[in-house]
Each structure stands twice: as C-alpha cells, then as structure tokens.
Amino acid sequence: MKLVSKLTAMLAAVLLMAACTEKPDTKPEETGTERDIVYAISGDEHRTELKSDAEWDALLDQFCEYAQQGQSVTFYNMSITAHNQGKGAGLKEVTTFSTTNRAEIKAWMKEMELQGKTVNITFDKNSGTWNGTAYANAPHYEETGTCYTGTLVMAPLPALTSPVVPGMVVALRINDDTTMLLLKNGFLAENVELMVDGANINDQVTLCGTIREANDLNDNPFLMLDITEHNEGALIGSWHYSCLAVTDLATNSEYMLNTDLYIPETEGQSIVYTFADDGTATRTVSGTNTGTTTGTWSLTDDGMLCCDLLPAGGGCWNINWLSHSTMVISRFGINPDDKEIYYQMQFDIPENKLFKK
C-alpha cells in the first residue's frame, strides 16, 4: 500500500519553545482547563497556550485536518501532568487506536491527553482510517531498513503546499534513475549537515533507512529515504536547561497547583548539559557558582533517560518530548515528608549551538 504523504518541508530552524515563564496559581475560568500544548506537524514544531476547552477542541480539529492532508501530527500537553498524573498509572504503556470515525479519534486524543501521554496521529487516505499512538516516552526508533550508497545532492522540493513553495532539499542519488529525498524526524531540509553531520553536497555516503513513497499535491510520485535516528542520536549534544517545575501532588487541589518553578537565569546562572556518544555527561554552569561537573547518562530499554547529574538526585526520567530543538523530561519523587512530588524539566538548544541554521 502506497504511503501518501503531503509533507510540509521545514526549510529553516524548527521553532524554539517560548522561554519558561512563571505564572501565578489561579482558579480556571468557567470556560475550562488551560493547556500549554507543544506539537509538531511533520516535524515543524510549535507551541500554543489554550485558555478554554473550546480552543482545545478547535485545535484537535486542526490536527485532524493536518492528518487528512497526509501529515503526521504529534502533541504533548506540558501542563496536564501536574494536574492528574499523581497516581502514575500506565505511564510505561504504549496505547494504539484505529478508527474510521473522526469523532472517535478526537475523543481518544482527549483521553490520552488527560493521561499525560504524548500522542501521534496519522490518516490512511486509502482506507479512511485514523491511526493513533500514545506513549510516555518519545518513540525509540530501531535500526531497521536497508543501507544505500550514493551521492548527496540538492533536489527540487515537491509541490507540498498551496501555493507552491519553491526550493531545494537534500537528497541521495543512487544512480541516474533513482534519487531519494532525505527524511529525518518527519521533515525535509535544505541544510545537508542537518541530515548528515559533517557531510557536504557531492560527498559519497552510505545511509541506512526505510524507503517511503509519497505523492505531491498534483499526485506526482517521489521517493524519500527515512533516516530517522535512535533517541540516542537525538539526545547527543548540548542542551540548555530552561526550567524545572516541582509540583507537590499531596497538596494539590482541583483548582490550585502548588508548583515551585526554578529558572536558572533568574538565579544568575546559565546551565548546559552535554550528553556525549560514549555515555559521559557534563553539567556546565556559567555565572554564579561557575563550574563543570562530570557524570554518566544512558537510555533504558523503554526509553527513559538516566543521568546522575539531573536534579533531585538524578535517576531515570520519562522523555515526554524530544526534537532537535526541545526536550521535556519528567519523573515522580518523594519529598522529605514521604509525599509524592512531580518533576518536569525543560531544555532547549544553547544559543551557541550551530543547529538547523
């Protein structure tokens, strides 16, 4: 069965998340729960704050429209976990759902959002089926697929949007008859180093991945080689520590969250974590108490990030969101009074990291 995909090519940097900002605890209005949603449409990352249930319902309708256009939609509510994940039930489970009914996929997305999971949906145009996957940890890609040797070239961007956006994207030319656009984490790109670190156009390389067939808006077919990495590959490098939210679940009420928000910059610090491919990690502090601490990091079989340098005693954290520009991790803990607390930590890329430029 052909995969029909009308992808939105990402020709510039993925949008960085808005900076962490401290907000007062307030009782929600009658319009419903406020939400802080981070989402990606075929790899193009965005973030939005919703003030009502009506806005949430409208955004889910937009997600359905994107999926029907052939795009992959992934989202995560960055504010939901502190509200109702106190029990931690089912956090390790991966849930899948398929239906031909749009109302049913919307109801399922709402249910998974309430469980604090990251949700992905796609739409199979041939069968009219919505397919959903919900998980606590970002997908752990396996090294499957076939390896191909060819020359890195720039190829015309297919007609993926209306009006058509002209441009060139990185591709792998196998021979005179076969050129495959490179697809990584759901997007195409015009920067070769974004796709293959340290490479240049006209270099001969060997890349492993899965061939995907797609059609543009005019139903012209084209090939893509999906070279999406393991989570290890996405994690490796430097990450700026944006903020840490600590929620006392034992004292939360229906309308009030007892959350302490720590933002390093407000304390006169800038903190960067670096995860190296040999399993070592560093925590570098600039400003107050300048210094570097070394440690180790690893991923568990179910995709949790374990690092002894992380706050609250380190430990293993769920990876709720992971892109090349943003990472959100979380875990539960116990306070000195033996009560359950919830940690959520946000990262973005350092200002000096040359990535997606």
Side-chain angles (χ1 to χ4, degrees), residues 33-49:
T33 304
E34 296 185 6
R35 294 171 172 85
D36 188 3
I37 304 294
V38 57
Y39 63 96
I41 308 301
S42 294
D44 192 1
E45 187 173 298
H46 306 270
R47 183 171 174 176
T48 185
E49 294 185 4

Side-chain angles (χ1 to χ4, degrees), residues 296-314:
T296 60
W297 73 279
S298 63
L299 282 178
T300 65
D301 290 340
D302 53 5
M304 298 182 74
L305 169 62
C306 303
C307 180
D308 51 359
L309 300 181
L310 292 172

Side-chain angles (χ1 to χ4, degrees), residues 40-187:
I41 308 301
S42 294
D44 192 1
E45 187 173 298
H46 306 270
R47 183 171 174 176
T48 185
E49 294 185 4
L50 307 177
K51 301 298 184 181
S52 68
D53 290 339
E55 290 182 353
W56 174 226
D57 196 71
L59 184 60
L60 290 176
D61 277 326
Q62 290 183 29
F63 289 164
C64 289
E65 293 294 332
Y66 287 131
Q68 283 185 304
Q69 294 170 12
Q71 304 196 65
S72 174
V73 179
T74 306
F75 68 86
Y76 172 65
N77 185 350
M78 298 181 65
S79 58
I80 196 68
T81 50
H83 281 274
N84 60 2
Q85 269 197 5
K87 301 300 180 182
L91 286 180
K92 298 289 192 333
E93 298 175 1
V94 175
T95 303
T96 59
F97 182 73
S98 296
T99 180
T100 57
N101 187 301
R102 177 168 172 152
E104 288 183 357
I105 194 67
K106 282 183 61 180
W108 179 81
M109 287 191 285
K110 290 180 179 180
E111 180 183 351
M112 294 299 101
E113 178 258 354
L114 284 172
Q115 293 183 21
K117 292 190 175 182
T118 304
V119 180
N120 173 266
I121 65 163
T122 58
F123 181 75
D124 187 331
K125 184 178 179 180
N126 293 322
S127 63
T129 301
W130 305 90
N131 297 300
T133 305
Y135 44 84
N137 289 314
H140 188 73
Y141 298 104
E142 300 297 332
E143 294 218 41
T144 57
T146 305
C147 295
Y148 302 88
T149 299
T151 303
L152 291 174
V153 298
M154 300 299 294
L157 176 67
L160 301 175
T161 61
S162 182
V164 175
V165 178
M168 305 289 285
V169 292
V170 183
L172 183 69
R173 186 175 65 207
I174 305 301
N175 51 49
D176 291 341
D177 299 320
T178 306
T179 297
M180 298 181 287
L181 308 184
L182 295 187
L183 179 70
K184 189 173 184 179
N185 295 320
F187 59 82

Side-chain angles (χ1 to χ4, degrees), residues 228-246:
T228 298
E229 301 170 332
H230 281 248
N231 277 357
E232 289 94 330
L235 268 165
I236 291 171
S238 296
W239 293 91
H240 169 246
Y241 173 8
S242 299
C243 66
L244 173 70
V246 182

Side-chain angles (χ1 to χ4, degrees), residues 244-274:
L244 173 70
V246 182
T247 303
D248 187 343
L249 296 168
T251 58
N252 280 347
S253 68
E254 182 180 358
Y255 300 114
M256 191 73 69
L257 286 178
N258 293 285
T259 299
D260 293 323
L261 187 65
Y262 172 64
I263 304 174
E265 274 71 13
T266 64
E267 305 292 329
Q269 296 180 324
S270 178
I271 301 176
V272 172
Y273 283 81
T274 299

Side-chain angles (χ1 to χ4, degrees), residues 214-231:
N215 284 15
D216 66 13
L217 293 178
N218 300 316
D219 285 332
N220 297 315
F222 62 95
L223 294 178
M224 298 179 292
L225 180 62
D226 190 342
I227 56 171
T228 298
E229 301 170 332
H230 281 248
N231 277 357

